[in-house]
Amino acid sequence: MTASLDDVAFVVETMARTAVENEGYFGELDAVVGDGDFGYSMARGFEVVLDSVDDMDRSNVGNLLKAVAMMITGRMGGTSGPIWGTAFLRASVVARDKTSLETDDVIAMLRAAIEGIKQRGKAEMGDKTLLDALVPAVDRLEELLGKGAGSADALREAASVAQSSADSTREMLAKKGRASYSGERSIGTLDAGAVAVAVMFNEVASKWTTRTTR
């Protein structure tokens, strides 16, 4: 797999558009046992990214992702801003001044983002957070790309894993965030962050083969 700077921008733009377009849906999910502001916070942070994607520094991948991190951290409210901002910032550090990415680069960036989320959110797999969809999806992506699968096929499979993993959060007890205050009532509900990851993965995968460069 080889990803260009334009491919990275495409992924960022797709994620941003997905967050904005699903504001209501993500908010409804969060409102069941949370405070209901997840969809609003995500949309407010990513709409700035969406509005600025054409004007961002595209001299290299690191600078592009760092710009995204700063925008999200500065605009996205609640705990989402620091968590998503950290994810993009950690990925930017790994990418550095690269203008194209190989498979190992992509996986290293995703792993760095995951570690950043864990540290910032003090969360682990099984805590009923976005990690419960993100980690299995990245595991599957790494496995398939390592076996020589094409990027489109690997993304589709990873998206499928993200969806099934997000669905599995319904049976989990929330251990982080406002949802954790509801205790046993959190069992039987979907984690909004995990669902957001799944929807984003699906959008990237479904549009990957028809993406355009700028």
Side-chain angles (χ1 to χ4, degrees):
M1 176 182 184
T2 301
S4 67
L5 193 56
D6 280 343
D7 289 334
V8 176
F10 159 78
V11 172
V12 168
E13 184 174 0
T14 302
M15 292 175 66
R17 193 177 305 282
T18 301
V20 172
E21 291 178 350
N22 286 274
E23 176 181 352
Y25 175 47
F26 294 159
E28 289 171 5
L29 289 173
D30 186 48
V32 178
V33 290
D35 50 20
D37 69 345
F38 176 72
Y40 178 85
S41 296
M42 288 281 285
R44 297 294 78 75
F46 275 109
E47 71 182 0
V48 178
V49 175
L50 191 60
D51 290 342
S52 307
V53 70
D54 289 332
D55 301 319
M56 289 182 190
D57 181 353
R58 296 197 184 197
S59 56
N60 57 61
V61 177
N63 285 343
L64 174 64
L65 296 181
K66 183 178 179 181
V68 173
M70 296 301 101
M71 289 180 187
I72 287 176
T73 302
R75 185 67 180 269
M76 192 180 293
T79 58
S80 296
I83 288 174
W84 286 82
T86 296
F88 278 100
L89 187 60
R90 292 293 184 88
S92 77
V93 172
V94 173
R96 301 189 303 279
D97 59 355
K98 295 180 183 295
T99 55
S100 65
L101 305 170
E102 300 300 325
T103 295
D104 289 347
D105 299 320
V106 172
I107 298 303
M109 289 163 59
L110 289 169
R111 293 296 182 195
I114 287 170
E115 288 307 310
I117 292 169
K118 287 181 176 180
Q119 292 172 15
R120 174 64 74 170
K122 296 180 174 55
E124 296 292 339
M125 284 284 292
D127 286 347
K128 194 164 184 167
T129 70
L130 75 166
L131 290 171
D132 292 304
L134 181 59
V135 174
V138 172
D139 287 347
R140 184 61 171 156
L141 187 65
E142 181 176 20
E143 177 189 1
L144 291 173
L145 291 176
K147 292 179 177 178
S151 57
D153 289 338
L155 282 169
R156 279 194 295 269
E157 285 290 324
S160 178
V161 169
Q163 182 61 64
S164 60
S165 298
D167 290 343
S168 295
T169 63
R170 190 183 296 277
E171 309 307 319
M172 296 179 179
L173 174 71
K175 299 177 183 178
K176 296 295 177 182
R178 185 62 63 88
S180 65
Y181 301 163
S182 62
E184 296 290 331
R185 285 201 306 112
S186 66
I187 298 175
T189 66
L190 292 171
D191 178 70
V195 172
V197 167
V199 176
M200 286 177 173
F201 251 103
N202 184 67
E203 285 298 304
V204 171
S206 65
K207 293 179 172 61
W208 183 253
T209 56
T210 59
R211 69 194 184 283
T212 57
T213 57
R214 297 173 186 272

